[in-house]
Amino acid sequence: MNLSELNKIANAMVAPGKGILAADESSGTIKKRFDAINVESTEDNRRDYREMMFRSTEAMKNHISGVILYDETIWQKAKDGTPLVKVIEQAGSIPGIKVDEGTQPLPNCPGELITIGLDKLAGRLAKYYEAGARFAKWRAVIDIGAGIPSHNAIHANAHALARYAALCQAAQIVPIVEPEVLMDGDHDIDRCFHVTEWVLKETFQELYYAGVPLEGIVLKPNMAISGKKNGKRASVQEVAEKTVRMLKNCVPGAVPGIAFLSGGQSDEEATAHLDAMNKLGPLPWKLTFSYGRALQAAPQKAWGGKAENVGSAQRAFSHRALMNSLASKGEWKADLEKKAA
Ligand code: 13P
């Protein structure tokens, strides 16, 4: 492993004013997104949609440090025959790849899941490196509910994340370590804070046992936030303060950067939270975005599967990329959203 090279890539992924586009929806998830805009989920439509974002040249060059791809996309070619990986590289962004193979029920832990995909991962990583991927993603899912999460689910998922991270680094690929505590329940922000703290503590302990140098990873956590079904929503300031406190308790300063998932927050909420956290700086690590839904909801709606809408979809995408870029520097203002509307 060449750690200084891994560290260089990790730093580039969280470079000032830049964040990551998570465009790695599995076939099932992208179908759900396309259903919502009445677009059939064919291979060509998925390609056209993603190519639209990757060819948003200004946004890609200035605000998007890297793109997480799904297996199908890393092998796909743009309409003109250029591999999509090349389109991303030519825009000055780094191609990355989702390598987990989804989740399965965890035995003896009703309602809890374990992420799978470790068995043949070393071979798959070598192929992805050859195809141009310089970072990867593995998502562990932890749900909050009555009597869950259990220690076994947290521990098993943290262990899998650490094994994945070690395999990535051995393949000269920067692992995005993503332990996601879902915001689907009716829990309050403090429950989310405590569960996420527990999950992060276990994750960093397992990374330590697996010998993973932290200079060569990027962490992708959830924020400390109220569950979606909780009637009492924590304010932007409370989310920012509690998330930063939680991260300071758990994430060593050796980690170059933390790139949040949006997890079902609205576009503007995800931006406002990131901005408020960066306004609390200076912080030990870069804090930026690795958003899926909060970057793509607006362009998806504007596109609607029609070639004539590519321009307006690209403008919608570029706007969200710019807003989140400003937020990653603590320079966003709510007025900027209204002006664009
Ligand atoms: P969201 O921002 O939509 O949560 O997606 C990010 C991601 O990559 C989840 O694994």
Side-chain angles (χ1 to χ4, degrees):
M1 173 206 320
N2 178 341
L3 183 57
S4 78
E5 192 54 37
L6 287 171
N7 179 248
K8 234 166 71 190
I9 294 164
N11 277 316
M13 289 161 68
V14 297
K18 291 192 177 188
I20 297 163
L21 164 64
D24 59 323
E25 299 83 2
S26 62
S27 307
T29 303
I30 195 77
K31 183 178 179 315
K32 257 196 272 171
R33 306 273 185 266
F34 278 15
D35 283 349
I37 53 168
N38 281 318
V39 175
E40 197 189 342
S41 185
T42 63
E43 206 176 317
D44 278 358
N45 282 344
R46 294 192 290 269
R47 189 271 316 274
D48 289 349
Y49 167 64
R50 287 167 170 151
E51 183 177 349
M52 173 276 290
M53 290 185 288
F54 306 162
R55 289 204 190 272
S56 301
T57 324
E58 282 303 300
M60 291 290 291
K61 193 171 85 196
N62 298 317
H63 311 311
I64 304 294
S65 58
V67 181
I68 316 175
L69 302 169
Y70 187 57
D71 179 74
E72 174 184 271
T73 322
I74 201 168
W75 311 112
Q76 260 175 338
K77 292 194 165 78
K79 223 171 199 150
D80 69 1
T82 316
L84 287 177
V85 164
K86 284 273 162 309
V87 173
I88 292 167
E89 287 170 352
Q90 281 162 8
S93 191
I94 310 168
I97 181 78
K98 169 196 174 78
V99 300
D100 67 69
E101 294 179 323
T103 55
Q104 277 182 358
L106 182 63
N108 303 321
C109 293
E112 299 192 279
L113 300 169
I114 180 73
T115 301
I116 59 166
L118 285 171
D119 281 358
K120 296 190 175 136
L121 186 54
R124 290 167 56 220
L125 285 167
K127 290 204 184 92
Y128 287 140
Y129 185 91
E130 241 176 80
R134 291 297 175 267
F135 69 92
K137 171 189 127 171
W138 176 289
R139 173 174 174 257
V141 190
I142 304 292
D143 205 358
I144 299 181
I148 61 169
S150 65
H151 177 252
N152 188 45
I154 292 177
H155 178 72
N157 276 291
H159 182 74
L161 274 169
R163 284 189 60 198
Y164 141 82
L167 284 165
C168 284
Q169 291 186 334
Q172 219 35 56
I173 286 180
V174 171
I176 293 184
V177 173
E178 182 181 4
E180 175 172 6
V181 177
L182 297 175
M183 61 179 287
D184 295 340
D186 61 3
H187 53 273
D188 64 10
I189 183 171
D190 290 327
R191 181 95 203 284
C192 176
F193 178 101
H194 291 301
V195 170
T196 307
E197 199 174 55
W198 186 14
V199 168
L200 291 174
K201 293 271 182 204
E202 292 278 347
T203 301
F204 280 97
Q205 193 61 32
E206 291 298 321
L207 289 169
Y208 171 70
Y209 289 144
V212 173
L214 300 181
E215 297 89 338
I217 73 162
V218 169
L219 179 70
K220 177 164 173 167
N222 53 283
M223 299 174 194
I225 194 166
S226 324
K228 263 191 243 167
K229 294 185 205 126
N230 187 294
K232 200 175 146 274
R233 316 285 316 153
S235 67
V236 169
Q237 199 54 27
E238 188 177 358
V239 168
E241 280 169 15
K242 289 191 169 161
T243 303
V244 166
R245 186 148 66 86
M246 174 183 87
L247 293 171
K248 281 186 175 169
N249 282 339
C250 304
V251 186
V255 173
I258 297 174
F260 291 100
L261 59 94
S262 60
Q265 300 178 43
S266 74
D267 296 0
E268 206 170 316
E269 259 179 341
T271 304
H273 288 149
L274 179 61
D275 180 67
M277 282 186 248
N278 278 304
K279 286 191 164 96
L280 297 172
L283 300 166
W285 356 251
K286 296 275 176 13
L287 283 192
T288 189
F289 57 92
S290 175
Y291 293 162
R293 282 161 285 182
L295 274 172
Q296 295 187 56
Q300 251 158 36
K301 221 170 125 198
W303 176 63
K306 299 202 174 78
E308 66 263 31
N309 293 339
V310 162
S312 54
Q314 287 179 327
R315 281 192 292 282
F317 173 65
S318 302
H319 175 67
R320 290 270 40 96
L322 170 63
M323 293 298 103
N324 286 309
S325 161
L326 292 170
S328 75
K329 298 184 283 186
E331 292 171 6
W332 174 82
K333 287 187 195 69
D335 303 358
L336 297 169
E337 300 283 353
K338 284 182 207 101
K339 265 183 225 152

